[in-house]
Amino acid sequence: MDRLENTVRPYAWGSTTALPELLGEKPTGQPQAELWMGAHPGAPSRIDRGTGPLPLSEVIAADPERELGVPTVRTFGPRLPFLLKLLAAAAPLSLQVHPDSTQAVQGYADEEARGIPLDAAERNYKDDSHKPELVCALTPFEGLCGFRHPQEAAALLEGLGVDGLKPYVDILRARPESEALREVLTALLTADKDAMAATVAEAAEAASERSEYAVYADIAHHYPGDPGVLAAMLLNHVVLRPGEALYLAAGVPHAYLGGLGVEIMANSDNVLRCGLTPKHVDVPELLRIVRFEPAEPGILRPEADEATGEEIYETPVGEFRLSRFVLVPGAAPHTLHASAAQILLCTEGAVVLHGGQEGGRRRTEGGADGGAEGGADGAAEGGAADIDLAPGQSAYVPAGEPVRISGDGTLFRATVAV
């Protein structure tokens, strides 16, 4: 097993304090939005096996079957099929949706055939994979997920008392549910920009005067004039308690609004935006992808395996499987076996990973930044050294390598469901 050195992504919506507090570091004053753990080419984690730090993506590419396991390579190809993150939002992320597998293949092939560069602003599909996601709250975590029933959305819009919203209220009350949601979202995204900005501004002012609309007033503060402010009112508002999670399936519009959480997703970059962003919004393609189906947001709570102590967040996808262990001092270590690669992340307390069948004879220790200090020393015994993890630190475990865990804290386990 290997200690991971990870990269922080400084997106503008990120918190300036949440990740530093978790990592035990002094804030820099700049946004720290996401800490990436995995082998995504945009910011691969690094490991040191005695020859200096190397990107995890390069280590996997050199021997994918050894690192990932034969079942993973046969099913998903020679790359780690998931990306694990710590996500710290202080402002709303873009309102977005992800394609399913068939839509991703079709969309990617179409844009390739039309010669749209991968880095073009108008490019929707960076790869041919779907991008299911799961986010688990570490603090109270606020978001939007899936469509409200149209009657509820109509009441919310009507309650603002804005004349420019009356046509949307009428549609939501008069049309069949899926048709109503499609028609209103289309109208919001295709309306005259100046007229829509004026309606959004009036709605934002009304929202600021009513406590029950506080979340939408805050969204409007960050994105003045954006039609996504009104589109957000079509969606369910969700507040997760620590330990609760949301699964975001293909076609479900969503946005994260604030909080600290653990996020895991299929290793894809395919995003279609609906609003709350200065980036490209492809309305026709978006309407092809969105599932206009009202439903209550499915809040997930982990299902405990009494025999192992593992608490599992069940999802219907194979690219990832997220679980956690709440460890107590003095308890017997848990042994983790997997035919696929694993990433282990400490989010609270102190956790020890015991390498090898005998649990190892010495430890490697890293700084609060989750760096690779001590990695080369630990690798000299072929993975037999122990690794101490503090909050925000993580480790990579190749396929088939047993690891025992003990300590006094919380450990998240990310692997593949094959």
Side-chain angles (χ1 to χ4, degrees), residues 195-206:
M196 179 54 63
T199 299
V200 171
E202 189 177 351
E205 183 177 358

Side-chain angles (χ1 to χ4, degrees), residues 170-208:
D170 292 342
I171 293 170
L172 290 167
R173 287 185 169 150
R175 304 276 197 276
E177 288 190 333
S178 294
E179 180 182 329
L181 293 169
R182 176 184 288 273
E183 188 170 342
V184 171
L185 183 62
T186 302
L188 292 175
L189 298 181
T190 58
D192 177 81
K193 290 185 177 181
D194 292 337
M196 179 54 63
T199 299
V200 171
E202 189 177 351
E205 183 177 358
S208 69

Side-chain angles (χ1 to χ4, degrees), residues 282-356:
D282 185 337
V283 175
E285 186 64 11
L286 175 70
L287 297 176
R288 187 178 80 89
I289 299 303
V290 172
R291 291 166 49 187
F292 291 95
E293 300 171 3
E296 296 297 320
I299 295 177
L300 293 178
R301 297 173 180 86
E303 298 183 12
D305 184 328
E306 294 184 4
T308 64
E310 186 173 20
E311 300 178 346
I312 304 166
Y313 294 90
E314 297 286 357
T315 66
V317 298
E319 283 88 348
F320 60 77
R321 176 182 180 273
L322 185 71
S323 60
R324 70 175 184 177
F325 292 85
V326 179
L327 304 173
V328 295
H334 300 277
T335 301
L336 309 184
H337 296 282
S339 61
Q342 306 175 70
I343 292 179
L344 305 177
L345 165 67
C346 176
T347 59
E348 185 178 10
V351 176
V352 182
L353 310 182
H354 309 276

